[in-house]
Coordinates of all heavy atoms in Angstrom, one line a residue:
M1 N -8.3 5.2 -24.0 CA -8.1 4.8 -22.6 C -8.6 5.9 -21.8 O -8.4 7.1 -22.0 CB -6.6 4.6 -22.4 CG -6.2 4.3 -21.0 SD -4.4 4.1 -20.7 CE -4.1 2.5 -21.3
S2 N -9.4 5.5 -20.8 CA -10.0 6.5 -19.9 C -8.9 7.1 -19.0 O -7.8 6.6 -18.9 CB -11.1 5.8 -19.0 OG -10.4 5.0 -18.0
A3 N -9.3 8.3 -18.4 CA -8.4 8.9 -17.5 C -8.0 8.1 -16.4 O -6.8 8.0 -16.0 CB -9.0 10.2 -17.0
L4 N -8.9 7.3 -15.8 CA -8.6 6.4 -14.7 C -7.7 5.3 -15.1 O -6.7 5.0 -14.4 CB -9.9 5.9 -14.1 CG -9.7 5.0 -12.8 CD1 -8.9 5.7 -11.7 CD2 -11.0 4.4 -12.4
N5 N -7.9 4.7 -16.3 CA -7.0 3.7 -16.8 C -5.6 4.2 -17.0 O -4.7 3.5 -16.7 CB -7.6 3.1 -18.1 CG -8.8 2.2 -17.8 OD1 -9.0 1.7 -16.7 ND2 -9.5 1.9 -18.9
R6 N -5.5 5.4 -17.5 CA -4.2 6.0 -17.8 C -3.5 6.3 -16.5 O -2.3 5.9 -16.3 CB -4.4 7.3 -18.6 CG -3.1 7.9 -19.1 CD -3.3 9.0 -20.1 NE -4.3 10.0 -19.6 CZ -5.5 10.2 -20.1 NH1 -6.0 9.4 -21.0 NH2 -6.3 11.1 -19.6
L7 N -4.2 6.8 -15.5 CA -3.5 7.1 -14.2 C -3.1 5.8 -13.5 O -2.1 5.7 -12.8 CB -4.5 7.9 -13.3 CG -4.8 9.3 -13.8 CD1 -6.0 9.9 -13.1 CD2 -3.6 10.2 -13.7
R8 N -4.0 4.7 -13.6 CA -3.7 3.5 -12.9 C -2.5 2.8 -13.6 O -1.6 2.3 -12.9 CB -4.9 2.5 -13.1 CG -4.7 1.2 -12.4 CD -5.9 0.2 -12.7 NE -7.1 0.7 -12.3 CZ -8.1 1.0 -13.2 NH1 -8.0 0.9 -14.5 NH2 -9.3 1.5 -12.7
A9 N -2.4 2.9 -14.9 CA -1.2 2.3 -15.6 C 0.1 3.1 -15.2 O 1.1 2.4 -15.0 CB -1.4 2.3 -17.1
A10 N 0.0 4.4 -15.1 CA 1.2 5.2 -14.7 C 1.6 4.9 -13.3 O 2.8 4.7 -13.0 CB 0.8 6.7 -14.9
A11 N 0.6 4.7 -12.4 CA 0.9 4.4 -11.0 C 1.5 3.0 -10.9 O 2.5 2.8 -10.2 CB -0.3 4.5 -10.1
R12 N 1.0 2.1 -11.6 CA 1.5 0.7 -11.6 C 2.9 0.7 -12.1 O 3.8 0.0 -11.5 CB 0.6 -0.2 -12.4 CG 1.0 -1.7 -12.3 CD 0.2 -2.5 -13.3 NE -1.2 -2.5 -13.1 CZ -1.8 -3.4 -12.3 NH1 -1.1 -4.3 -11.6 NH2 -3.1 -3.3 -12.1
S13 N 3.2 1.4 -13.1 CA 4.6 1.5 -13.7 C 5.5 2.1 -12.7 O 6.6 1.7 -12.4 CB 4.6 2.3 -15.0 OG 5.9 2.4 -15.5
D14 N 5.1 3.2 -12.0 CA 5.9 3.9 -11.1 C 6.2 3.1 -9.8 O 7.3 3.2 -9.3 CB 5.3 5.3 -10.7 CG 6.3 6.3 -10.2 OD1 7.4 6.4 -10.8 OD2 6.0 6.9 -9.2
M15 N 5.2 2.3 -9.4 CA 5.3 1.6 -8.2 C 6.4 0.5 -8.3 O 6.9 0.0 -7.3 CB 4.0 1.0 -7.7 CG 3.0 2.0 -7.2 SD 3.7 3.0 -5.9 CE 3.8 1.8 -4.6
K16 N 6.7 0.1 -9.5 CA 7.7 -1.0 -9.7 C 9.1 -0.5 -9.1 O 9.8 -1.4 -8.6 CB 7.9 -1.4 -11.1 CG 6.6 -2.1 -11.6 CD 6.7 -2.4 -13.1 CE 5.5 -3.2 -13.5 NZ 5.4 -3.4 -15.0
R17 N 9.4 0.8 -9.2 CA 10.6 1.2 -8.6 C 10.6 1.2 -7.1 O 11.7 1.3 -6.4 CB 11.0 2.6 -9.2 CG 10.2 3.7 -8.6 CD 10.5 5.1 -9.2 NE 9.6 6.1 -9.0 CZ 9.7 6.9 -7.9 NH1 10.7 6.9 -7.2 NH2 8.7 7.8 -7.7
W18 N 9.5 1.2 -6.5 CA 9.3 1.1 -5.0 C 9.4 -0.4 -4.5 O 9.3 -0.6 -3.3 CB 8.0 1.7 -4.5 CG 7.9 3.2 -4.7 CD1 7.4 3.9 -5.7 CD2 8.4 4.2 -3.7 NE1 7.5 5.2 -5.5 CE2 8.1 5.4 -4.3 CE3 9.0 4.1 -2.5 CZ2 8.4 6.6 -3.6 CZ3 9.2 5.3 -1.8 CH2 8.9 6.5 -2.4
G19 N 9.5 -1.3 -5.4 CA 9.4 -2.7 -5.0 C 8.1 -3.2 -4.8 O 7.9 -4.2 -4.0
N20 N 7.0 -2.6 -5.4 CA 5.7 -3.0 -5.2 C 5.0 -3.1 -6.6 O 4.0 -2.4 -6.9 CB 4.9 -2.0 -4.3 CG 3.5 -2.4 -4.1 OD1 3.1 -3.5 -4.1 ND2 2.7 -1.4 -3.8
P21 N 5.5 -4.1 -7.4 CA 4.9 -4.1 -8.8 C 3.5 -4.6 -8.9 O 2.8 -4.3 -9.9 CB 5.9 -5.1 -9.5 CG 6.4 -6.0 -8.3 CD 6.5 -5.0 -7.2
D22 N 3.0 -5.3 -7.9 CA 1.6 -5.7 -8.0 C 0.6 -4.8 -7.3 O -0.6 -5.0 -7.3 CB 1.5 -7.1 -7.4 CG 1.9 -7.2 -6.0 OD1 2.2 -6.2 -5.3 OD2 1.9 -8.4 -5.4
L23 N 1.1 -3.7 -6.8 CA 0.2 -2.7 -6.2 C -0.7 -3.2 -5.1 O -1.9 -2.9 -5.1 CB -0.6 -2.0 -7.3 CG 0.1 -0.9 -8.1 CD1 -0.8 -0.3 -9.2 CD2 0.7 0.2 -7.3
A24 N -0.2 -4.1 -4.3 CA -0.9 -4.6 -3.1 C -0.7 -3.7 -1.9 O 0.5 -3.4 -1.6 CB -0.5 -6.1 -2.8
W25 N -1.8 -3.3 -1.3 CA -1.6 -2.3 -0.2 C -2.2 -2.9 1.1 O -2.9 -3.8 1.1 CB -2.4 -1.1 -0.5 CG -1.9 -0.3 -1.7 CD1 -2.2 -0.6 -3.1 CD2 -0.9 0.7 -1.7 NE1 -1.4 0.3 -3.9 CE2 -0.7 1.1 -3.1 CE3 -0.2 1.4 -0.7 CZ2 0.2 2.1 -3.4 CZ3 0.6 2.4 -1.1 CH2 0.9 2.7 -2.4
R26 N -1.8 -2.3 2.2 CA -2.2 -2.7 3.6 C -2.3 -1.4 4.4 O -1.7 -0.4 4.1 CB -1.2 -3.6 4.2 CG 0.1 -2.9 4.4 CD 1.2 -3.9 4.9 NE 2.5 -3.3 5.0 CZ 3.1 -3.0 6.1 NH1 2.6 -3.3 7.3 NH2 4.3 -2.4 6.1
A27 N -3.2 -1.5 5.4 CA -3.2 -0.4 6.4 C -2.0 -0.7 7.3 O -1.6 -1.9 7.6 CB -4.5 -0.5 7.2
C28 N -1.3 0.3 7.8 CA -0.1 0.1 8.6 C 0.0 1.1 9.7 O -0.6 2.2 9.7 CB 1.1 0.2 7.7 SG 1.5 1.9 7.1
F29 N 0.9 0.8 10.7 CA 1.2 1.7 11.7 C 2.4 2.6 11.3 O 3.5 2.2 11.4 CB 1.6 0.9 13.0 CG 0.4 0.2 13.7 CD1 0.1 -1.1 13.3 CD2 -0.4 0.9 14.6 CE1 -1.0 -1.7 13.9 CE2 -1.5 0.3 15.2 CZ -1.7 -1.1 14.8
S30 N 2.0 3.8 10.7 CA 3.0 4.7 10.2 C 3.4 5.7 11.3 O 4.4 6.4 11.1 CB 2.5 5.4 9.0 OG 1.3 6.0 9.2
T31 N 2.7 5.8 12.3 CA 3.0 6.8 13.4 C 3.0 6.0 14.7 O 2.0 5.3 15.0 CB 1.9 7.9 13.4 OG1 1.9 8.5 12.1 CG2 2.2 8.9 14.4
D32 N 4.0 6.3 15.6 CA 4.0 5.6 16.9 C 2.9 6.2 17.8 O 2.5 7.3 17.7 CB 5.3 5.9 17.6 CG 6.5 5.2 16.9 OD1 6.2 4.2 16.2 OD2 7.6 5.7 17.1
G33 N 2.3 5.3 18.6 CA 1.4 5.7 19.6 C -0.1 5.7 19.2 O -0.9 6.2 20.0
T34 N -0.4 5.3 18.0 CA -1.8 5.3 17.6 C -2.4 3.9 18.0 O -1.7 2.9 18.1 CB -1.9 5.5 16.1 OG1 -1.2 4.5 15.4 CG2 -1.5 6.9 15.7
D35 N -3.7 3.9 18.3 CA -4.4 2.7 18.7 C -4.6 1.8 17.5 O -4.8 0.6 17.7 CB -5.8 3.1 19.3 CG -5.6 3.8 20.6 OD1 -4.6 3.5 21.3 OD2 -6.5 4.5 21.0
G36 N -4.7 2.4 16.3 CA -4.9 1.6 15.1 C -4.0 2.0 14.0 O -3.3 3.0 14.1
P37 N -4.0 1.2 12.9 CA -3.1 1.5 11.8 C -3.7 2.7 11.0 O -4.8 2.7 10.5 CB -3.1 0.3 10.9 CG -4.4 -0.4 11.3 CD -4.7 0.0 12.7
T38 N -3.0 3.8 11.1 CA -3.5 5.1 10.5 C -2.8 5.4 9.2 O -2.9 6.6 8.7 CB -3.4 6.3 11.4 OG1 -2.0 6.4 11.8 CG2 -4.3 6.0 12.7
G39 N -2.0 4.5 8.6 CA -1.3 4.7 7.4 C -1.6 3.7 6.4 O -2.2 2.7 6.7
V40 N -1.2 4.0 5.1 CA -1.4 3.0 4.0 C 0.0 2.8 3.4 O 0.7 3.8 3.2 CB -2.4 3.6 3.0 CG1 -2.6 2.6 1.8 CG2 -3.7 4.0 3.6
A41 N 0.3 1.5 3.2 CA 1.6 1.2 2.6 C 1.5 0.0 1.7 O 0.6 -0.8 1.9 CB 2.6 1.0 3.7
P42 N 2.5 -0.2 0.8 CA 2.5 -1.4 0.1 C 2.7 -2.6 1.0 O 3.3 -2.5 2.0 CB 3.7 -1.2 -0.9 CG 3.9 0.2 -0.9 CD 3.5 0.7 0.4
V43 N 2.1 -3.8 0.6 CA 2.3 -5.0 1.3 C 3.8 -5.3 1.2 O 4.5 -5.2 0.2 CB 1.5 -6.1 0.7 CG1 1.9 -7.5 1.2 CG2 0.0 -5.9 0.9
C44 N 4.4 -5.7 2.4 CA 5.8 -6.1 2.4 C 5.9 -7.6 2.2 O 5.3 -8.4 2.8 CB 6.4 -5.8 3.8 SG 8.1 -6.2 3.9
R45 N 6.8 -8.0 1.2 CA 6.9 -9.4 0.8 C 8.2 -10.0 1.5 O 8.5 -11.1 1.2 CB 7.1 -9.5 -0.7 CG 5.9 -8.9 -1.5 CD 4.7 -9.7 -1.4 NE 3.7 -9.1 -2.3 CZ 2.4 -9.3 -2.1 NH1 1.9 -10.0 -1.1 NH2 1.5 -8.8 -2.9
D46 N 8.9 -9.3 2.4 CA 10.1 -9.8 3.0 C 9.7 -11.0 3.9 O 8.8 -11.0 4.6 CB 10.7 -8.7 3.9 CG 12.0 -9.1 4.4 OD1 12.1 -9.8 5.5 OD2 13.1 -8.7 3.8
E47 N 10.5 -12.1 3.7 CA 10.2 -13.3 4.4 C 10.4 -13.2 5.9 O 9.8 -14.0 6.7 CB 11.1 -14.4 3.9 CG 12.6 -14.2 4.2 CD 13.5 -15.3 3.5 OE1 13.0 -15.9 2.5 OE2 14.6 -15.5 4.0
G48 N 11.1 -12.2 6.4 CA 11.2 -11.9 7.8 C 10.1 -11.1 8.4 O 10.1 -10.8 9.6
H49 N 9.2 -10.6 7.6 CA 8.1 -9.7 8.0 C 6.8 -10.5 8.1 O 6.3 -10.9 7.0 CB 8.0 -8.5 7.1 CG 7.1 -7.4 7.6 ND1 7.2 -6.1 7.2 CD2 6.0 -7.5 8.4 CE1 6.3 -5.4 7.8 NE2 5.5 -6.2 8.5
D50 N 6.3 -10.8 9.3 CA 5.0 -11.5 9.5 C 3.9 -10.7 8.8 O 3.7 -9.5 9.1 CB 4.8 -11.6 11.0 CG 3.5 -12.3 11.3 OD1 2.6 -12.5 10.4 OD2 3.3 -12.8 12.4
P51 N 3.2 -11.3 7.9 CA 2.1 -10.6 7.2 C 1.1 -10.0 8.1 O 0.4 -9.0 7.7 CB 1.5 -11.7 6.3 CG 2.5 -12.7 6.1 CD 3.3 -12.7 7.4
D52 N 0.9 -10.5 9.3 CA 0.0 -10.0 10.3 C 0.5 -8.8 11.1 O -0.2 -8.2 11.9 CB -0.5 -11.0 11.2 CG -1.3 -12.1 10.5 OD1 -2.0 -11.8 9.5 OD2 -1.3 -13.3 11.0
D53 N 1.8 -8.5 10.9 CA 2.5 -7.4 11.6 C 2.3 -6.1 10.8 O 2.9 -5.9 9.7 CB 3.9 -7.7 11.8 CG 4.7 -6.6 12.5 OD1 4.1 -5.5 12.8 OD2 5.9 -6.8 12.9
G54 N 1.5 -5.2 11.3 CA 1.1 -3.9 10.6 C 2.2 -2.9 10.7 O 2.0 -1.7 10.2
S55 N 3.3 -3.1 11.3 CA 4.3 -2.1 11.5 C 5.1 -1.9 10.2 O 5.0 -2.7 9.2 CB 5.3 -2.5 12.6 OG 4.6 -2.6 13.8
V56 N 5.9 -0.8 10.1 CA 6.7 -0.5 9.0 C 8.2 -0.6 9.4 O 8.6 0.0 10.4 CB 6.4 0.9 8.4 CG1 7.4 1.3 7.3 CG2 5.0 1.0 8.0
Y57 N 8.9 -1.4 8.7 CA 10.4 -1.6 9.0 C 11.2 -1.2 7.8 O 10.7 -0.9 6.7 CB 10.6 -3.1 9.4 CG 9.8 -3.6 10.6 CD1 8.7 -4.4 10.4 CD2 10.1 -3.2 11.9 CE1 7.9 -4.9 11.4 CE2 9.3 -3.6 12.9 CZ 8.2 -4.5 12.7 OH 7.5 -4.9 13.7
V58 N 12.5 -1.4 7.9 CA 13.4 -1.1 6.8 C 13.2 -2.0 5.6 O 13.6 -1.7 4.5 CB 14.9 -1.0 7.3 CG1 15.2 0.1 8.2 CG2 15.3 -2.4 7.8
C59 N 12.6 -3.2 5.9 CA 12.4 -4.1 4.8 C 11.2 -3.8 4.0 O 11.0 -4.3 2.9 CB 12.1 -5.5 5.4 SG 10.8 -5.6 6.6
C60 N 10.4 -2.8 4.4 CA 9.1 -2.5 3.7 C 9.3 -1.6 2.6 O 10.0 -0.6 2.7 CB 8.2 -1.9 4.7 SG 7.8 -3.0 6.1
P61 N 8.6 -1.8 1.5 CA 8.6 -0.9 0.3 C 7.8 0.3 0.7 O 6.9 0.3 1.5 CB 8.0 -1.7 -0.8 CG 7.2 -2.7 -0.2 CD 7.8 -3.0 1.2
G62 N 8.1 1.4 0.1 CA 7.3 2.7 0.2 C 6.4 2.8 -1.0 O 6.4 2.0 -1.9
P63 N 5.7 3.9 -1.0 CA 5.6 4.9 0.0 C 4.7 4.6 1.1 O 3.8 3.7 1.0 CB 5.1 6.1 -0.8 CG 4.2 5.5 -1.8 CD 4.9 4.2 -2.2
V64 N 4.9 5.2 2.3 CA 4.0 5.0 3.4 C 3.2 6.4 3.5 O 3.9 7.4 3.6 CB 4.8 4.8 4.7 CG1 3.8 4.7 5.9 CG2 5.6 3.5 4.6
I65 N 1.9 6.3 3.5 CA 1.1 7.4 3.4 C 0.3 7.5 4.7 O -0.6 6.6 5.0 CB 0.1 7.4 2.2 CG1 0.9 7.1 0.9 CG2 -0.8 8.6 2.2 CD1 0.1 6.6 -0.2
E66 N 0.5 8.5 5.5 CA -0.2 8.7 6.8 C -1.6 9.4 6.5 O -1.6 10.5 5.8 CB 0.6 9.6 7.7 CG -0.1 10.0 9.0 CD -0.6 8.8 9.9 OE1 0.1 7.8 9.9 OE2 -1.7 8.9 10.4
V67 N -2.7 8.9 7.0 CA -4.0 9.5 6.7 C -4.7 9.9 8.0 O -5.8 10.4 8.0 CB -4.9 8.6 5.8 CG1 -4.3 8.4 4.5 CG2 -5.2 7.3 6.5
E68 N -4.1 9.6 9.2 CA -4.6 10.0 10.5 C -5.9 9.4 10.9 O -6.7 10.0 11.7 CB -4.6 11.5 10.6 CG -3.2 12.1 10.4 CD -3.2 13.7 10.5 OE1 -4.2 14.2 10.9 OE2 -2.2 14.2 10.2
S69 N -6.3 8.3 10.3 CA -7.6 7.6 10.6 C -7.5 6.2 10.3 O -7.1 5.8 9.1 CB -8.7 8.3 9.8 OG -9.9 7.4 9.8
A70 N -7.7 5.3 11.3 CA -7.6 3.9 11.0 C -8.7 3.4 10.0 O -8.4 2.7 9.1 CB -7.7 3.1 12.3
P71 N -10.0 3.9 10.2 CA -11.0 3.4 9.2 C -10.7 3.9 7.8 O -10.9 3.2 6.8 CB -12.3 4.1 9.8 CG -12.0 4.2 11.2 CD -10.6 4.6 11.4
L72 N -10.2 5.1 7.7 CA -9.8 5.6 6.4 C -8.7 4.8 5.8 O -8.7 4.5 4.6 CB -9.5 7.1 6.4 CG -9.1 7.8 5.1 CD1 -10.2 7.7 4.1 CD2 -8.7 9.3 5.3
A73 N -7.7 4.5 6.6 CA -6.6 3.7 6.1 C -7.0 2.4 5.6 O -6.6 1.9 4.5 CB -5.5 3.5 7.2
E74 N -7.9 1.7 6.4 CA -8.4 0.4 6.0 C -9.2 0.5 4.7 O -9.1 -0.3 3.8 CB -9.3 -0.2 7.1 CG -8.6 -0.5 8.4 CD -7.8 -1.8 8.4 OE1 -7.8 -2.5 7.3 OE2 -7.1 -2.0 9.4
Y75 N -10.0 1.6 4.6 CA -10.9 1.8 3.4 C -10.0 2.0 2.2 O -10.2 1.5 1.1 CB -11.8 3.0 3.6 CG -12.5 3.4 2.4 CD1 -13.4 2.6 1.7 CD2 -12.3 4.7 1.9 CE1 -14.1 3.0 0.6 CE2 -13.0 5.1 0.7 CZ -13.9 4.3 0.1 OH -14.5 4.7 -1.1
L76 N -9.0 2.9 2.3 CA -8.1 3.2 1.1 C -7.4 2.0 0.7 O -7.2 1.8 -0.5 CB -7.2 4.4 1.5 CG -7.8 5.7 1.6 CD1 -6.8 6.7 2.1 CD2 -8.4 6.2 0.3
A77 N -6.9 1.2 1.6 CA -6.1 0.0 1.2 C -7.1 -1.0 0.5 O -6.7 -1.5 -0.5 CB -5.5 -0.7 2.5
A78 N -8.3 -1.1 1.0 CA -9.3 -2.0 0.3 C -9.6 -1.5 -1.0 O -9.7 -2.2 -2.0 CB -10.5 -2.2 1.2
L79 N -9.8 -0.2 -1.1 CA -10.2 0.4 -2.4 C -9.0 0.3 -3.4 O -9.3 -0.1 -4.6 CB -10.5 1.9 -2.2 CG -11.0 2.7 -3.4 CD1 -12.3 2.2 -3.8 CD2 -11.1 4.2 -3.0
L80 N -7.8 0.5 -3.0 CA -6.7 0.4 -3.9 C -6.5 -1.1 -4.3 O -6.2 -1.4 -5.5 CB -5.4 0.9 -3.2 CG -5.3 2.4 -3.1 CD1 -4.2 2.8 -2.1 CD2 -5.1 3.0 -4.4
N81 N -6.7 -2.0 -3.4 CA -6.6 -3.4 -3.8 C -7.7 -3.9 -4.7 O -7.4 -4.8 -5.5 CB -6.5 -4.3 -2.5 CG -5.2 -4.1 -1.8 OD1 -4.2 -3.8 -2.4 ND2 -5.2 -4.3 -0.5
T82 N -8.8 -3.3 -4.6 CA -9.9 -3.6 -5.5 C -9.7 -3.1 -6.9 O -10.0 -3.7 -7.9 CB -11.3 -3.1 -4.9 OG1 -11.5 -3.7 -3.7 CG2 -12.4 -3.4 -5.8
D83 N -9.2 -1.9 -6.9 CA -9.0 -1.2 -8.2 C -7.8 -1.7 -8.9 O -7.7 -1.7 -10.2 CB -8.8 0.3 -8.0 CG -8.7 1.1 -9.3 OD1 -9.7 1.1 -10.0 OD2 -7.6 1.6 -9.6
C84 N -6.8 -2.2 -8.2 CA -5.5 -2.7 -8.9 C -5.2 -4.1 -8.5 O -4.3 -4.4 -7.7 CB -4.4 -1.8 -8.5 SG -4.5 -0.1 -9.2
P85 N -6.0 -5.1 -9.0 CA -5.7 -6.5 -8.7 C -4.3 -6.8 -9.3 O -3.8 -6.1 -10.2 CB -6.8 -7.3 -9.3 CG -7.3 -6.4 -10.4 CD -7.1 -4.9 -9.9
K86 N -3.7 -7.9 -8.8 CA -2.4 -8.3 -9.4 C -2.5 -8.5 -10.9 O -3.5 -9.0 -11.4 CB -2.0 -9.7 -8.7 CG -1.6 -9.5 -7.3 CD -1.2 -10.9 -6.7 CE -0.8 -10.7 -5.3 NZ -0.3 -12.0 -4.8
E87 N -1.4 -8.2 -11.5 CA -1.2 -8.4 -12.9 C -1.2 -9.9 -13.2 O -0.6 -10.6 -12.4 CB 0.0 -7.7 -13.5 CG -0.1 -6.3 -13.6 CD 1.1 -5.6 -14.2 OE1 2.2 -5.6 -13.5 OE2 1.1 -5.2 -15.3
A88 N -1.8 -10.4 -14.2 CA -1.7 -11.8 -14.6 C -0.3 -12.2 -15.0 O 0.5 -11.4 -15.4 CB -2.7 -12.1 -15.6
Ligands
ZN101 ZN1 8.6 -5.2 5.9

């Protein structure tokens, strides 16, 4: 198993305790007052949370990672989603 495969498997296993077993990510508003979403967080599956709402509420699984750049947040979320597609 390559180092990347080993790290991905460990992260996938660890994320289950955060309520994000499929490792789906989104860019999010982790800091008030920013013009764009400058954080990265797991996708929230709560039925009361509109999927188009980029905010973070108590219903949302963690961790929320602030990266201080909307383009970087979008890129990291896309990269993580490409690297870790849903488990079959
Ligand atoms: Zn939520």
Side-chain angles (χ1 to χ4, degrees):
M1 180 181 281
S2 73
L4 181 58
N5 285 343
R6 188 171 50 253
L7 294 168
R8 183 187 301 116
R12 186 185 298 271
S13 176
D14 202 45
M15 289 303 293
K16 290 177 180 174
R17 74 184 165 94
W18 291 93
N20 182 26
D22 58 6
L23 286 179
W25 295 87
R26 64 187 174 112
C28 70
F29 289 91
S30 55
T31 304
D32 290 338
T34 55
D35 291 336
T38 59
V40 181
V43 170
C44 181
R45 306 288 187 201
D46 188 276
E47 63 185 25
H49 189 153
D50 182 343
D52 293 330
D53 181 351
S55 299
V56 176
Y57 304 105
V58 294
C59 57
C60 301
V64 177
I65 306 161
E66 173 60 35
V67 297
E68 301 183 9
S69 164
L72 179 58
E74 297 281 359
Y75 171 63
L76 289 173
L79 186 64
L80 287 166
N81 287 333
T82 299
D83 187 65
C84 291
K86 288 183 178 183
E87 285 181 290

